[in-house]
Amino acid sequence: MLVVVIVIALVGLAGILVYIGMTAPDPQQTLQQRLVEYGARETPVTLEEIEMSLPFSQRVVVPLLNSVAQFIARFTPQRSLEAARHNLDLAGNPYNLNASQFWAARAVMAVLLGFLIGLLMNVTHQDMIKAVLFPLLAAALGFFMPT
């Protein structure tokens, strides 16, 4: 029963992540849209209007990911960052991520997945071994799966 709940939760999470990845706007396309919108205006645009015209991900998620990336880059060995940069180059540099941003995304996914599975274990009142072991395994999965 527990395994079925965990599998359903992981499949649901994977589905959500795939949906987010598929619906992410192309940065070049959003730039073109903003330029067309800017050219069509007759009145000058304020700085606040320009900032609020950016999508939520560009205003909040990307700066948050960049700050986490800078923090993580301080503690990550240079060799690991170079290997991640090489792998990102081989993959075609998806979403224009640099190596430190990729490591930050891995860390965020580890924490998020560990927290969600820990919450699931707490809600379903599992015994202590499962309540500790499964979130740790989920966190490890969240960290190592993107590589």
Side-chain angles (χ1 to χ4, degrees):
M1 171 76 179
L2 175 65
V3 174
V4 173
V5 172
I6 292 173
V7 168
I8 289 172
L10 289 176
V11 168
L13 180 63
I16 290 170
L17 291 175
V18 167
Y19 174 76
I20 290 171
M22 297 296 277
T23 59
D26 181 27
Q28 187 67 21
Q29 192 176 32
T30 57
L31 177 64
Q32 291 296 331
Q33 289 173 346
R34 281 187 267 149
L35 286 173
V36 167
E37 182 180 315
Y38 179 75
R41 289 187 176 219
E42 295 178 11
T43 60
V45 181
T46 64
L47 180 60
E48 182 179 354
E49 288 175 348
I50 292 171
E51 288 175 351
M52 293 306 289
S53 70
L54 292 173
F56 177 78
S57 62
Q58 294 293 322
R59 290 184 286 135
V60 176
V61 176
V62 170
L64 181 63
L65 183 64
N66 285 337
S67 64
V68 172
Q70 288 174 352
F71 178 75
I72 289 178
R74 287 187 226 156
F75 302 107
T76 306
Q78 192 64 28
R79 190 174 194 173
S80 297
L81 286 175
E82 288 298 324
R85 184 174 296 117
H86 177 70
N87 289 339
L88 285 171
D89 287 340
L90 290 177
N93 201 8
Y95 302 109
N96 294 324
L97 290 176
N98 61 32
S100 61
Q101 289 173 331
F102 179 70
W103 269 80
R106 288 176 64 187
V108 167
M109 285 304 299
V111 169
L112 184 64
L113 198 55
F115 174 76
L116 289 176
I117 297 300
L119 186 64
L120 181 67
M121 293 292 110
N122 190 21
V123 168
T124 58
H125 304 292
Q126 297 300 317
D127 59 357
M128 184 58 89
I129 293 174
K130 289 180 183 175
V132 172
L133 184 63
F134 285 174
L136 290 176
L137 290 174
L141 182 71
F143 184 76
F144 291 111
M145 196 65 158
T147 59

